[in-house]
Amino acid sequence: MEFNQINTESLLNLIKSRRTCYQFLDKEIYPLDDTKLNNCLQAAIWAPNHKLTQPWQFYVVGEKLKNRLAEVYADNRASKKSQTDTECYAGFYQKALEKFMAIPQVILVGQVLAQDSTVRQEDYAACACAIQNFQLMAWQQKIGVQWSTGPIINDPRTYQNLSIEPSQIQLIGALYLGNIEENCQLKNQSKRKTVEEVTFYLD
Ligand SMILES: Cc1cc2nc3c(=O)[nH]c(=O)nc-3n(C[C@H](O)[C@H](O)[C@H](O)COP(=O)(O)O)c2cc1C
Protein backbone atom coordinates (compact mmCIF):
# COMPACT_ATOMS: atom_id res chain seq x y z
CA MET A 1 0.00 0.00 0.00
CA GLU A 2 1.55 3.27 -1.04
CA PHE A 3 -0.61 5.41 1.22
CA ASN A 4 2.33 7.61 2.17
CA GLN A 5 2.29 9.11 -1.30
CA ILE A 6 -0.78 11.11 -0.32
CA ASN A 7 0.39 14.56 0.50
CA THR A 8 -0.61 15.84 3.96
CA GLU A 9 -1.70 19.23 2.66
CA SER A 10 -3.82 17.71 -0.12
CA LEU A 11 -5.53 15.35 2.28
CA LEU A 12 -6.30 18.13 4.75
CA ASN A 13 -7.54 20.32 1.91
CA LEU A 14 -9.82 17.57 0.67
CA ILE A 15 -11.30 17.10 4.14
CA LYS A 16 -11.67 20.81 4.78
CA SER A 17 -13.07 21.73 1.39
CA ARG A 18 -15.81 19.08 1.32
CA ARG A 19 -19.23 20.62 1.70
CA THR A 20 -22.71 19.20 1.88
CA CYS A 21 -24.24 19.73 -1.55
CA TYR A 22 -27.83 20.54 -2.34
CA GLN A 23 -27.52 21.37 -6.01
CA PHE A 24 -26.35 18.98 -8.67
CA LEU A 25 -25.68 19.22 -12.36
CA ASP A 26 -28.41 17.79 -14.60
CA LYS A 27 -28.00 14.01 -14.59
CA GLU A 28 -29.05 13.73 -18.22
CA ILE A 29 -26.21 15.99 -19.33
CA TYR A 30 -23.67 14.99 -16.66
CA PRO A 31 -24.46 11.38 -15.77
CA LEU A 32 -22.77 9.82 -12.78
CA ASP A 33 -19.86 7.61 -13.68
CA ASP A 34 -20.32 4.03 -12.41
CA THR A 35 -16.60 3.66 -11.74
CA LYS A 36 -16.58 6.80 -9.61
CA LEU A 37 -19.61 5.61 -7.68
CA ASN A 38 -17.92 2.27 -7.14
CA ASN A 39 -14.83 4.09 -5.81
CA CYS A 40 -17.06 5.77 -3.22
CA LEU A 41 -18.51 2.43 -2.16
CA GLN A 42 -15.03 0.92 -2.01
CA ALA A 43 -13.93 3.75 0.28
CA ALA A 44 -17.02 3.27 2.43
CA ILE A 45 -16.47 -0.43 3.13
CA TRP A 46 -12.94 0.23 4.39
CA ALA A 47 -14.23 2.25 7.31
CA PRO A 48 -13.15 1.15 10.76
CA ASN A 49 -15.67 -1.10 12.50
CA HIS A 50 -15.28 -2.79 15.85
CA LYS A 51 -15.00 -6.59 15.70
CA LEU A 52 -15.34 -6.35 11.94
CA THR A 53 -19.11 -6.37 12.11
CA GLN A 54 -19.27 -4.51 8.78
CA PRO A 55 -22.78 -3.39 9.68
CA TRP A 56 -23.52 -1.32 6.55
CA GLN A 57 -25.73 -1.99 3.56
CA PHE A 58 -25.94 0.37 0.60
CA TYR A 59 -29.10 0.48 -1.48
CA VAL A 60 -28.36 2.13 -4.80
CA VAL A 61 -31.75 3.33 -5.94
CA GLY A 62 -32.73 2.68 -9.56
CA GLU A 63 -35.37 4.58 -11.54
CA LYS A 64 -38.44 2.48 -10.66
CA LEU A 65 -37.66 2.48 -6.96
CA LYS A 66 -36.83 6.16 -7.13
CA ASN A 67 -40.31 6.89 -8.45
CA ARG A 68 -41.84 5.07 -5.50
CA LEU A 69 -39.55 6.71 -2.96
CA ALA A 70 -40.31 10.10 -4.52
CA GLU A 71 -43.96 9.58 -3.56
CA VAL A 72 -42.97 8.83 0.04
CA TYR A 73 -40.68 11.86 0.08
CA ALA A 74 -43.30 14.13 -1.44
CA ASP A 75 -46.03 12.96 0.92
CA ASN A 76 -43.82 13.56 3.95
CA ARG A 77 -42.89 17.05 2.81
CA ALA A 78 -46.37 18.08 1.72
CA SER A 79 -48.17 16.75 4.77
CA LYS A 80 -45.72 18.57 7.03
CA LYS A 81 -46.69 21.84 5.39
CA SER A 82 -50.41 21.36 4.68
CA GLN A 83 -53.54 19.27 5.19
CA THR A 84 -53.74 16.23 2.93
CA ASP A 85 -56.29 16.33 0.10
CA THR A 86 -56.08 20.09 -0.23
CA GLU A 87 -54.90 22.13 -3.18
CA CYS A 88 -52.04 23.35 -1.06
CA TYR A 89 -50.96 19.77 -0.38
CA ALA A 90 -51.09 18.94 -4.09
CA GLY A 91 -48.85 21.90 -4.86
CA PHE A 92 -46.24 21.03 -2.22
CA TYR A 93 -46.45 17.37 -3.22
CA GLN A 94 -45.75 18.06 -6.88
CA LYS A 95 -42.84 20.38 -6.06
CA ALA A 96 -41.29 17.83 -3.70
CA LEU A 97 -41.78 15.04 -6.21
CA GLU A 98 -39.88 17.00 -8.85
CA LYS A 99 -37.17 17.92 -6.35
CA PHE A 100 -36.56 14.29 -5.44
CA MET A 101 -36.66 13.09 -9.04
CA ALA A 102 -34.04 15.69 -9.97
CA ILE A 103 -31.51 14.20 -7.53
CA PRO A 104 -29.10 12.36 -9.82
CA GLN A 105 -28.54 9.40 -7.51
CA VAL A 106 -30.08 8.31 -4.24
CA ILE A 107 -28.35 5.77 -2.03
CA LEU A 108 -29.92 4.62 1.20
CA VAL A 109 -27.64 3.38 3.94
CA GLY A 110 -28.83 0.65 6.26
CA GLN A 111 -27.34 -0.58 9.51
CA VAL A 112 -27.73 -4.28 10.19
CA LEU A 113 -29.04 -4.29 13.75
CA ALA A 114 -27.09 -6.28 16.31
CA GLN A 115 -28.92 -7.68 19.33
CA ASP A 116 -26.52 -6.10 21.80
CA SER A 117 -27.05 -2.37 22.44
CA THR A 118 -23.33 -1.58 22.79
CA VAL A 119 -22.56 -3.28 19.50
CA ARG A 120 -25.45 -1.37 17.91
CA GLN A 121 -24.02 1.92 19.10
CA GLU A 122 -20.57 1.04 17.80
CA ASP A 123 -22.07 -0.13 14.54
CA TYR A 124 -23.81 3.20 14.06
CA ALA A 125 -20.45 4.91 14.55
CA ALA A 126 -18.92 2.55 11.98
CA CYS A 127 -21.69 3.34 9.48
CA ALA A 128 -21.08 7.05 10.01
CA CYS A 129 -17.37 6.51 9.29
CA ALA A 130 -18.33 4.63 6.13
CA ILE A 131 -20.53 7.50 5.00
CA GLN A 132 -17.75 10.01 5.58
CA ASN A 133 -15.31 7.83 3.62
CA PHE A 134 -17.91 7.75 0.85
CA GLN A 135 -18.34 11.53 0.96
CA LEU A 136 -14.63 12.23 0.82
CA MET A 137 -14.07 9.89 -2.11
CA ALA A 138 -17.03 11.50 -3.84
CA TRP A 139 -15.66 14.98 -3.25
CA GLN A 140 -12.25 14.02 -4.58
CA GLN A 141 -14.03 13.01 -7.80
CA LYS A 142 -16.13 16.19 -7.99
CA ILE A 143 -19.25 14.42 -6.88
CA GLY A 144 -21.29 16.25 -4.28
CA VAL A 145 -23.22 14.51 -1.51
CA GLN A 146 -25.96 15.49 0.89
CA TRP A 147 -26.16 13.15 3.87
CA SER A 148 -29.77 13.30 4.92
CA THR A 149 -31.62 11.88 7.90
CA GLY A 150 -34.93 13.23 6.61
CA PRO A 151 -38.30 11.52 7.16
CA ILE A 152 -38.10 9.00 4.31
CA ILE A 153 -35.59 6.88 6.21
CA ASN A 154 -38.09 6.40 9.04
CA ASP A 155 -41.17 5.87 6.90
CA PRO A 156 -42.52 2.28 6.89
CA ARG A 157 -43.28 2.64 3.17
CA THR A 158 -39.56 3.05 2.46
CA TYR A 159 -38.84 -0.23 4.23
CA GLN A 160 -41.62 -1.91 2.27
CA ASN A 161 -40.28 -0.56 -1.00
CA LEU A 162 -36.82 -1.89 -0.19
CA SER A 163 -38.21 -5.18 1.12
CA ILE A 164 -36.29 -4.85 4.36
CA GLU A 165 -37.45 -5.55 7.88
CA PRO A 166 -37.05 -2.60 10.30
CA SER A 167 -36.32 -5.00 13.14
CA GLN A 168 -33.29 -6.29 11.23
CA ILE A 169 -32.01 -3.33 9.28
CA GLN A 170 -32.34 0.30 10.24
CA LEU A 171 -32.04 2.94 7.56
CA ILE A 172 -29.69 5.49 9.03
CA GLY A 173 -29.14 7.85 6.14
CA ALA A 174 -30.05 8.83 2.64
CA LEU A 175 -27.22 10.00 0.43
CA TYR A 176 -28.23 12.36 -2.34
CA LEU A 177 -25.46 12.75 -4.86
CA GLY A 178 -24.53 14.02 -8.24
CA ASN A 179 -21.90 15.79 -10.25
CA ILE A 180 -21.33 19.34 -9.12
CA GLU A 181 -20.03 22.60 -10.45
CA GLU A 182 -16.35 23.35 -9.86
CA ASN A 183 -17.06 26.17 -7.40
CA CYS A 184 -19.99 24.53 -5.61
CA GLN A 185 -18.23 24.59 -2.24
CA LEU A 186 -18.15 28.39 -2.28
CA LYS A 187 -21.96 28.56 -2.16
CA ASN A 188 -22.24 26.58 1.05
CA GLN A 189 -19.79 28.04 3.54
CA SER A 190 -19.52 25.96 6.65
CA LYS A 191 -17.78 27.12 9.80
CA ARG A 192 -15.94 25.18 12.45
CA LYS A 193 -14.66 26.10 15.89
CA THR A 194 -10.88 26.22 16.05
CA VAL A 195 -8.85 23.24 17.24
CA GLU A 196 -7.86 25.32 20.29
CA GLU A 197 -11.50 25.80 21.27
CA VAL A 198 -12.32 22.11 21.31
CA THR A 199 -9.06 20.50 22.36
CA PHE A 200 -7.94 20.13 25.95
CA TYR A 201 -4.41 19.02 26.62
CA LEU A 202 -4.58 17.42 30.03
CA ASP A 203 -1.80 16.33 32.32
C1 LIG B 1 -25.80 12.24 11.17
C2 LIG B 1 -25.97 13.38 10.19
C3 LIG B 1 -27.23 13.70 9.73
C4 LIG B 1 -27.42 14.73 8.80
N1 LIG B 1 -28.67 14.99 8.34
C5 LIG B 1 -28.86 15.98 7.45
C6 LIG B 1 -30.16 16.23 6.93
O1 LIG B 1 -31.14 15.57 7.26
N2 LIG B 1 -30.28 17.22 6.02
C7 LIG B 1 -29.20 17.97 5.62
O2 LIG B 1 -29.38 18.87 4.81
N3 LIG B 1 -27.96 17.74 6.09
C8 LIG B 1 -27.77 16.76 6.98
N4 LIG B 1 -26.50 16.50 7.45
C9 LIG B 1 -25.37 17.29 6.95
C10 LIG B 1 -25.02 18.40 7.93
O3 LIG B 1 -26.09 19.30 8.03
C11 LIG B 1 -23.77 19.10 7.44
O4 LIG B 1 -22.70 18.19 7.50
C12 LIG B 1 -23.43 20.34 8.28
O5 LIG B 1 -24.34 21.37 8.02
C13 LIG B 1 -22.04 20.86 8.01
O6 LIG B 1 -21.91 21.22 6.64
P1 LIG B 1 -20.77 20.58 5.74
O7 LIG B 1 -21.10 19.12 5.57
O8 LIG B 1 -20.86 21.33 4.44
O9 LIG B 1 -19.48 20.79 6.43
C14 LIG B 1 -26.30 15.48 8.36
C15 LIG B 1 -25.02 15.15 8.85
C16 LIG B 1 -24.85 14.12 9.74
C17 LIG B 1 -23.46 13.79 10.24
Side-chain angles (χ1 to χ4, degrees):
M1 277 278 168
E2 295 177 15
F3 63 87
N4 268 335
Q5 284 184 1
I6 303 167
N7 172 290
T8 305
E9 204 182 332
S10 314
L11 180 57
L12 188 57
N13 274 340
L14 174 74
I15 293 167
K16 284 174 76 172
S17 65
R18 182 211 54 81
R19 293 279 70 79
T20 293
C21 293
Y22 299 94
Q23 245 131 37
F24 307 104
L25 292 170
D26 187 332
K27 65 177 190 304
E28 307 302 335
I29 305 169
Y30 302 95
L32 259 195
D33 184 298
D34 284 346
T35 308
K36 289 184 181 175
L37 179 55
N38 192 259
N39 288 338
C40 297
L41 293 165
Q42 288 288 343
I45 65 165
W46 282 96
N49 59 104
H50 196 194
K51 301 198 176 118
L52 282 181
T53 52
Q54 303 179 70
W56 39 70
Q57 308 255 291
F58 302 96
Y59 303 100
V60 182
V61 174
E63 256 341 84
K64 270 193 229 148
L65 177 59
K66 192 178 175 194
N67 275 296
R68 296 201 296 270
L69 293 181
E71 291 171 12
V72 179
Y73 177 89
D75 178 51
N76 273 292
R77 283 188 67 114
S79 51
K80 199 172 145 197
K81 293 179 181 169
S82 58
Q83 292 272 339
T84 34
D85 295 330
T86 60
E87 213 171 289
C88 214
Y89 173 91
F92 284 128
Y93 183 96
Q94 190 53 33
K95 234 177 149 185
L97 200 73
E98 283 163 21
K99 188 175 174 200
F100 192 86
M101 289 309 292
I103 300 168
Q105 180 67 61
V106 176
I107 297 182
L108 297 178
V109 183
Q111 176 186 340
V112 179
L113 293 175
Q115 295 291 319
D116 183 84
S117 65
T118 306
V119 178
R120 266 191 203 203
Q121 196 178 10
E122 291 188 338
D123 282 349
Y124 180 73
C127 286
C129 292
I131 293 174
Q132 177 64 349
N133 275 6
F134 183 104
Q135 293 201 109
L136 288 173
M137 182 54 81
W139 191 251
Q140 195 277 332
Q141 301 177 105
K142 298 193 171 58
I143 295 171
V145 183
Q146 180 197 349
W147 174 351
S148 167
T149 41
I152 64 159
I153 64 165
N154 297 314
D155 193 304
R157 292 170 292 181
T158 306
Y159 285 82
Q160 279 158 18
N161 277 311
L162 268 66
S163 303
I164 57 171
E165 198 40 66
S167 59
Q168 286 168 12
I169 294 176
Q170 184 177 1
L171 294 172
I172 57 149
L175 304 180
Y176 301 142
L177 55 141
N179 289 309
I180 48 172
E181 276 176 37
E182 242 356 271
N183 63 351
C184 153
Q185 67 267 42
L186 301 175
K187 291 179 192 159
N188 173 23
Q189 297 285 0
S190 189
K191 293 228 169 76
R192 295 295 190 268
K193 289 179 184 170
T194 62
V195 169
E196 290 72 23
E197 283 175 285
V198 297
T199 309
F200 307 93
Y201 294 93
L202 307 174
D203 203 357

